[in-house]
Amino acid sequence: MEEIGHFINGQRVAGKSGRAADVFNPATGEVTAKVALATTAELQEAVAIAEKAQVGWAKTNPQRRARVMMKFVSLLHRDMDKLASKLSAEHGKTFPDAKGDVIRGLEVAEFCIGAPHMMKGEFTEGAGPGIDMYSMRQPLGVVAGITPFNFPAMIPMWKFCVAIAAGNSFILKPSERNPSVPMMLAELMQEAGLPDGVLNVINGDKEAVDAILDDPIIQAVGFVGSTAIAEYVYTRGTASGKRVQCFGGAKNHMLIMPDADLDQAADALVGAGFGAAGERCMAISVAVPVGQETADRLIEKLIPRVEALKVGPYTAGDDVDFGPVITPQARDRILGLVNSGVEQGAKLVVDGRGFKLQGYENGNFVGPCLFDNATKDMDIYKEEIFGPVLTVVRAENYEEALSLPMDHEYGNGTAIFTRDGDTARDFASRINIGMVGINVPIPVPLAYHTFGGWKRSGFGDLNQHGPDGFKFYTRTKTVTSRWPSGVKEGAEFSIPTMG
Ligand code: NAD
């Protein structure tokens, strides 16, 4: 049985707590490894090492730091298949989808090759008589990232690439469900030339998270996960004086206007609703067709597409559209919510509850489920299901459709399918949601833009990656400088103005 410890000071080390969690293959239910769960003392040891390492790393010029990212990108390409198959084995997503997980992280590493440009400050010559004013961005010191199970490559890279390129050292606390890929990423950063102690991976659960939140040396924490924990991390982290940004759960609506290409919309819904078994924070989980006729035509197109979805283990290759969900508890929760939808009066037009796969009886599989005629008061509408369940809520007109995502507590992503530019423009302008797609079902911004939700999908300020990422992991210092050229004036007692 493989034992996964931590990655501290440039190498793998065994855990010392005596506590460990099982890591499963979600397709088979087999335990494939044990991951150590760190104590507060182990976290503090890693932080002390990171603090020392950061001094030299911050002094390394930004171009040299960027070269580490450059090498890291080439190593990710070299090990792509190895990373993706490990990711599939511990997460359950298909092999091409696992590669996508690595690639969307790699793109952030590529963006970070431009760190010298992002770190440039501002300069005003002659801000006053003989006075120049300039600002510089400086790293914070030791910073941390706490990440979820659903993107074990991409989300750690969103965090550590930016923070490290900016000159910080980093403590990564990945999900205990799939710790192998984050450990492999740390080894690749080391191989790319990162000095020992700049990137450390501490595996663990609540104890390690609380230790990060309370640690006086850690200056900033970036979190991604469920909303309840996001709020907890935000509250506790800010109470201890840290800069904190937390990204939480989602309920992403897609509006389908009567003029939309309904085949395109149906294909988009099936991919965005069921890809990765619906375990994406940008999954579309609610479809809102506008008008009864649009709804009837859409449902007619959706049913055969959903019924044809192929569910299975990643090892079955192209024969599979999506895999198992992460744990038996997640499966039971999803099935419980589907049952509640039926009890509360929604029409389950495709029922995946009884799905079984021969040879994989212990896997956490849930067949695809499609609801029609759901309403706002139902649990399947209010809660994030995070499973292969698509819910159709019919709206009579555009204003009613728009009010659904507007009034929902989550505000991560949304989309509209229409051929009418005016409607699309109105939607993009008025919607109170962080990421908007126009005829694009999963509008995940690219690395050089920024990612972040509104309302209860995001706590704190600034988005992830892109220019905001650099702002989050740096602080600004502004210098006002005068060289008096030998002219000596008397002491000045009133506040200087530049007028
Ligand atoms: P989770 O909240 O259970 O776990 C996230 C992290 O918090 C993990 O590292 C975990 O170890 C830690 N954690 C869990 N319980 C804790 C506790 N009681 N105290 C302290 N730390 C704790 O989330 P998950 O199930 O791994 O991920 C799925 C969730 O993440 C979904 O809600 C999804 O929408 C969300 N998500 C959001 C985004 C985004 O950018 N908004 C992106 C991906 C996933």
Side-chain angles (χ1 to χ4, degrees):
M1 177 70 61
E2 188 194 354
E3 292 196 5
I4 302 168
H6 313 292
F7 189 87
I8 300 175
N9 209 15
Q11 57 190 16
R12 284 184 187 246
V13 298
K16 297 183 215 160
S17 68
R19 289 199 309 130
D22 290 336
V23 178
F24 294 89
N25 177 334
T28 61
E30 279 167 305
V31 177
T32 54
K34 294 227 174 264
V35 61
L37 302 174
T39 59
T40 302
E42 284 173 294
L43 180 272
Q44 288 168 343
E45 249 172 68
V47 170
I49 286 164
E51 191 182 25
K52 277 207 192 97
Q54 195 264 337
V55 177
W57 182 240
K59 282 190 192 145
T60 306
N61 78 48
Q63 218 173 342
R64 285 172 192 249
R65 294 201 302 254
R67 283 188 197 128
V68 172
M69 304 313 299
M70 223 180 282
K71 183 77 198 292
F72 179 56
V73 168
S74 71
L75 297 176
L76 288 170
H77 282 294
R78 184 195 71 189
D79 287 1
M80 180 66 67
D81 286 0
K82 209 161 87 180
L83 288 159
S85 51
K86 192 52 140 180
L87 200 158
S88 288
E90 286 186 2
H91 177 287
K93 61 176 78 173
T94 65
F95 183 68
D97 200 29
K99 271 183 153 174
D101 192 329
V102 179
I103 289 166
R104 289 306 290 255
L106 176 154
E107 288 173 357
V108 173
E110 277 176 338
F111 166 67
C112 290
I113 295 169
H117 176 66
M118 297 309 303
M119 297 293 286
K120 278 192 303 198
E122 295 168 326
F123 187 90
T124 302
E125 185 192 12
I131 292 178
D132 300 326
M133 194 175 280
Y134 60 96
S135 64
M136 43 195 175
R137 304 209 72 89
Q138 294 191 324
L140 301 176
V142 184
V143 297
I146 301 164
T147 55
F149 81 83
N150 70 326
F151 281 96
M154 177 182 83
I155 296 180
M157 284 191 266
W158 281 359
K159 306 275 178 209
F160 75 68
C161 289
V162 179
I164 288 173
N168 299 284
S169 59
F170 200 85
I171 305 286
L172 173 65
K173 206 305 280 172
S175 170
E176 61 275 44
R177 311 240 179 265
N178 37 28
S180 290
V181 169
M183 294 288 278
M184 290 160 82
L185 294 175
E187 283 175 323
L188 291 183
M189 283 288 281
Q190 205 69 22
E191 193 182 338
L194 192 71
D196 292 352
V198 176
L199 173 57
N200 306 278
V201 183
I202 292 293
N203 285 304
D205 55 6
K206 182 170 165 49
E207 182 173 348
V209 170
D210 288 348
I212 289 172
L213 297 176
D214 298 344
D215 191 281
I217 296 167
I218 295 176
Q219 297 296 308
V221 177
F223 171 93
V224 179
S226 55
T227 287
I229 311 297
E231 192 166 27
Y232 167 75
V233 167
Y234 186 73
T235 309
R236 187 157 174 165
T238 49
S240 78
K242 295 183 200 327
R243 189 181 286 195
V244 187
Q245 58 170 199
C246 296
F247 298 91
K251 194 79 176 174
N252 305 317
H253 296 57
M254 178 168 133
L255 272 60
I256 302 98
M257 297 301 293
D259 65 352
D261 177 332
L262 286 191
D263 283 306
Q264 194 193 39
D267 285 339
L269 278 170
V270 169
F274 297 96
E279 289 176 322
R280 291 180 181 144
C281 69
M282 289 294 277
I284 293 287
S285 49
V286 180
V288 189
V290 173
Q292 294 301 337
E293 198 204 324
T294 314
D296 291 341
R297 284 168 53 220
L298 183 72
I299 284 284
E300 206 175 284
K301 289 183 187 296
L302 279 174
I303 289 173
R305 283 170 166 84
V306 176
E307 283 175 343
L309 287 170
K310 292 170 284 183
V311 186
Y314 82 98
T315 43
D318 290 344
D319 251 5
V320 170
D321 295 313
F322 69 85
V325 298
I326 189 73
T327 56
Q329 294 76 15
R331 181 197 55 208
D332 295 346
R333 187 180 163 276
I334 294 162
L335 293 176
L337 276 161
V338 174
N339 289 338
S340 82
V342 174
E343 281 155 23
Q344 291 169 20
K347 196 167 154 200
L348 187 58
V349 291
V350 180
D351 184 355
R353 287 176 295 179
F355 181 86
K356 288 267 176 302
L357 194 62
Q358 210 182 354
Y360 293 89
E361 287 78 6
N362 295 324
N364 315 320
F365 291 99
V366 180
C369 295
L370 177 65
F371 276 111
D372 191 9
N373 292 110
T375 52
K376 283 204 293 192
D377 50 332
M378 295 177 181
D379 292 334
I380 51 166
Y381 178 74
K382 290 190 286 194
E383 287 194 32
E384 178 182 47
I385 300 177
F386 224 54
V389 182
L390 180 64
T391 300
V392 175
V393 180
R394 295 172 176 232
E396 286 306 324
N397 53 48
Y398 170 67
E399 288 298 331
E400 187 191 339
L402 179 71
S403 73
L404 288 165
M406 293 282 281
D407 294 346
H408 206 285
E409 64 171 333
Y410 293 120
N412 213 38
T414 188
I416 187 167
F417 273 58
T418 180
R419 286 192 175 96
D420 179 41
D422 189 52
T423 310
R425 191 166 177 274
D426 183 81
F427 181 75
S429 167
R430 286 167 64 193
I431 196 76
N432 55 359
I433 284 177
M435 292 168 283
V436 181
I438 296 171
N439 298 312
V440 173
I442 306 192
V444 176
L446 289 176
Y448 46 93
H449 285 264
T450 73
F451 184 110
W454 290 12
K455 298 187 277 182
R456 288 182 63 75
S457 296
F459 300 83
D461 191 17
L462 296 171
N463 281 355
Q464 305 175 89
H465 61 71
D468 271 14
F470 277 93
K471 285 190 183 138
F472 182 72
Y473 286 119
T474 56
R475 56 191 160 187
T476 307
K477 184 182 281 173
T478 309
V479 180
T480 304
S481 124
R482 175 164 62 182
W483 297 97
S485 319
V487 180
K488 301 277 182 282
E489 290 165 12
E492 188 143 347
F493 294 99
S494 52
I495 189 161
T497 59
M498 298 303 171

